[in-house]
Structures are given as C-alpha cells and as structure tokens.
Amino acid sequence: DIQMTQSPSLLSVSVGDRVTLNCKASQNIYKNLAWYQEKLGEAPKLLIYNANTLQTGIPSRFSGTGSGADFTLTISSLQPEDVATYFCQQYYSGSWTFGGGTKLELK
Amino acid sequence: QVQLQQSGAELAKPGSSVKISCKASGYTFTSYYMSWIKQTTGQGLEYIGFINTESGGANYNEKFKGKATLTVDKSSSTAFMQLSSLTPDDSAVYYCARGINYWGQGVMVTVSS
C-alpha cells in the first residue's frame, strides 16, 4: 500500500494566519491526491482534488499544490470556521490510503 | 443532488454480524462504484474496498478480506456492507463514498458485550 504521511499532526493557529499543511506519499502518485476537511460528527468534505483543483463551492482561500510525492494545502487567511482536521488521500492506486490528519487548534 | 443516506448506529455483541446500508439518490446508481471506509481514532481512515454496482463484483483491501462483505441491491439503489465475527477492534465509524467527492454521513458501529 502507498503510505501517506501528514505533517504536522497538530497546529496551533490564529484567525488570519496563512496556514500550510503537508502531505507526503511513499511513492509517486502524480497528482492523484485529494484534501478533505473534517469536523466532529460530520462526513469529510472534499476541498481539493487532482492535487490543485478546488472543489465547487469551496472558498478560494484554500489551495493545493504539488505533484509526485509531495503536496501542500494552504489556507491563505484562516477563518474561525476553518478550525478542523484536514487529511489527504491518494487515489492513484485502486486501494485508497489516507494521511493521519492535521488538526488545527486556535491559540 | 447526489445523496448517500446511511443506516443508523449499531450496537453489536462480539462474535455477531452487522449489515449497514447506503442508499443512493440523485444519480444513476449503477454508473459509479461504491467505496467503503473505516474511521477510528487510533487507526484513522482505512479503505475497506469497493463494489461495482452494476456487476456486483467487489474488491477488498487485504486487511478486510473475510471481515467485510459488500453487496448491492440495484432495485433500491442501495449498497450494503456486512461485517462479520465482530470484535471490539471493529468499533468504528463506517462511511460509504461515491468516488472521492460524495460521502455518506457515516454509521457508528460499537462492539461491546
């Protein structure tokens, strides 16, 4: 299986911060990567797919970059409603795998 | 609009089985595979497998072979996952997902005596 590693696992943030989250694959997955936001008790929400394509309805403060094995999700100016857990997912292989997540907490 | 409505929470005893459902609406059910994902606090998100909703053929993550059985009922546009020989390690939230962009609301399965 392709291993997905996210860093950091926990990030203390303030409203207005530029936030950068990282995701690394154990092999080349080209651009077959998605980012999700998850809040307690809710289903994961797709933010970004194909590494850098913003899902319809997602605010433009979210952006994704990367290809191959290294990827980044950036929130340009953190809003209170963005406090959540974010995880990446590869769908290059038929057996999806997920990163362990990055939890954002307010300072 | 696309919706995946999953069945309610389950409380099951060790050694028993549960069958959870995922009813699809808003699209042609047989045009898309259905995937299933397990989420726990300790292990995070794990891919269980997927089912071809047209043919009924399923593909499983090696870890879940023998544990999960995926089926569909095309007449009701519903996908099912049966979990057998339950242990406390099977306690989790289970999601169905159509592709990467549509997920059900999740079903909490608790295995306890």
Side-chain angles (χ1 to χ4, degrees):
Chain A
D1 284 357
I2 299 172
Q3 305 303 313
M4 306 299 293
T5 303
Q6 287 187 246
S7 62
S9 56
L10 179 64
L11 189 59
S12 294
V13 297
S14 300
V15 174
D17 281 354
R18 182 179 180 87
V19 176
T20 300
L21 311 179
N22 301 297
C23 175
K24 187 174 183 66
S26 60
Q27 66 178 74
N28 187 351
I29 59 169
Y30 301 88
K31 298 184 78 174
N32 294 281
L33 184 104
W35 288 97
Y36 294 86
Q37 177 192 71
E38 186 178 33
K39 296 182 178 180
L40 194 63
E42 298 180 11
K45 178 194 290 186
L46 178 67
L47 303 174
I48 301 281
Y49 62 95
N50 292 348
N52 61 11
T53 303
L54 193 66
Q55 171 71 342
T56 303
I58 301 301
S60 59
R61 64 180 178 272
F62 291 92
S63 63
T65 59
S67 65
D70 290 291
F71 302 88
T72 298
L73 174 70
T74 300
I75 308 172
S76 60
S77 178
L78 187 92
Q79 300 303 299
E81 61 268 29
D82 301 335
V83 174
T85 298
Y86 294 83
F87 60 89
C88 59
Q89 175 209 357
Q90 67 79 20
Y91 48 93
Y92 171 72
S93 79
S95 185
W96 300 346
T97 48
F98 301 86
T102 295
K103 183 177 181 179
L104 303 186
E105 64 172 20
L106 287 175
K107 287 180 182 172
Chain B
Q1 70 282 23
V2 174
Q3 288 191 336
L4 301 175
Q5 183 64 42
Q6 296 187 242
S7 48
E10 298 272 2
L11 174 60
K13 294 195 181 302
S16 68
S17 298
V18 295
K19 189 172 185 178
I20 60 181
S21 65
C22 172
K23 183 172 176 58
S25 60
Y27 71 99
T28 302
F29 179 68
T30 51
S31 294
Y32 298 86
Y33 291 4
M34 192 71 76
S35 295
W36 291 84
I37 300 103
K38 177 184 182 181
Q39 185 178 39
T40 59
T41 303
Q43 298 296 315
L45 291 153
E46 298 178 278
Y47 189 62
I48 296 170
F50 68 87
I51 187 164
N52 180 324
T53 53
E54 175 61 49
S55 69
N59 184 283
Y60 299 92
N61 181 335
E62 198 68 33
K63 179 177 177 179
F64 292 95
K65 287 182 179 177
K67 170 60 64 178
T69 303
L70 306 182
T71 57
V72 294
D73 176 3
K74 292 192 285 186
S75 67
S76 63
S77 299
T78 303
F80 300 92
M81 178 173 68
Q82 178 163 318
L83 300 168
S84 60
S85 303
L86 291 170
T87 73
D89 286 344
D90 297 317
S91 296
V93 176
Y94 292 89
Y95 293 100
C96 59
R98 193 206 91 172
I100 62 171
N101 52 346
Y102 294 104
W103 290 49
Q105 82 275 22
V107 175
M108 180 169 289
V109 174
T110 304
V111 182
S112 173
S113 54

